[in-house]
Amino acid sequence: MPGLYQLHFPFTMEGLPMNSSQPRRLSVAARVRYGLAEHGPAPLLASAALLAQGALGVAVSYGHAGFGVHLAGACVTTGVVLWAGGQAFLRNMQTAGVRRAALFLVSLTFSQLLLGAGAYMNLFMAGTLEWFTVAHAAMGVATLGASVTLAVLVYRQIRPEDLEMAHGGVVIA
């Protein structure tokens, strides 16, 4: 009767799948739900703040917003990105990919701030430092991409016990 046992009870007594050669899959919604419960909203907020800051930068370049609004947004966005990067780094010390993505995001953010200062200097010496403005815009796109990458890496982390609970298993700690 081993075949009958496998049909009705797909888990062994240890709670591991009997056929572990097939990986279990979770939907994107389940991964985000478990990721939000485990890691909080910081990576998503960092991506949203960087997207809003990019929109403010476009508004400044076309004359629809003032420089002070963009500077205030940069301060808030930097705080949110530092919070998200630090939280992702500290909560995922065992995962090298998340650690690297968090450090990369923070380093790109500081590079973005320095290039923004150079782009601001272009206002005083018009025509000499135009490449700072272009580099600042390009680094903004790269920083947004790094924040989305960090969010994806953080929210795809599922612990084995969460995976078992998602499929109706019982976990005993």
Side-chain angles (χ1 to χ4, degrees):
M1 292 282 187
L4 184 62
Y5 174 76
Q6 289 177 350
L7 288 175
H8 292 293
F9 302 102
F11 294 99
T12 61
M13 295 304 289
E14 292 83 27
L16 300 173
M18 292 182 113
N19 186 3
S20 61
S21 65
Q22 297 175 349
R24 297 200 159 218
R25 303 208 186 277
L26 287 177
S27 67
V28 173
R31 286 187 183 274
V32 170
R33 186 175 63 243
Y34 286 118
L36 283 173
E38 181 72 21
H39 300 287
L44 290 177
L45 289 176
S47 294
L50 284 166
L51 184 63
Q53 183 62 15
L56 277 175
V58 169
V60 167
S61 67
Y62 284 103
H64 297 296
F67 176 74
V69 174
H70 186 59
L71 184 62
C75 293
V76 170
T77 301
T78 301
V80 171
V81 168
L82 288 176
W83 172 53
Q87 187 179 33
F89 184 83
L90 293 176
R91 289 187 177 183
N92 296 287
M93 290 291 259
Q94 73 283 1
T95 310
V98 176
R99 274 194 333 257
R100 281 188 224 120
L103 289 175
F104 187 59
L105 175 62
V106 170
S107 67
L108 283 180
T109 301
F110 282 120
S111 298
Q112 174 72 356
L113 290 174
L114 291 174
L115 287 171
Y120 181 69
M121 291 304 211
N122 189 35
L123 296 175
F124 301 120
M125 295 181 270
T128 58
L129 301 173
E130 291 176 0
W131 65 272
F132 271 113
T133 306
V134 174
H136 180 64
M139 187 64 70
V141 172
T143 306
L144 177 62
S147 71
V148 170
T149 301
L150 177 67
V152 167
L153 287 174
V154 164
Y155 291 135
R156 68 181 264 197
Q157 299 291 320
I158 300 291
R159 296 182 314 211
E161 53 269 12
D162 291 339
L163 183 63
E164 294 299 325
M165 292 302 291
H167 291 287
V170 176
V171 176
I172 300 172

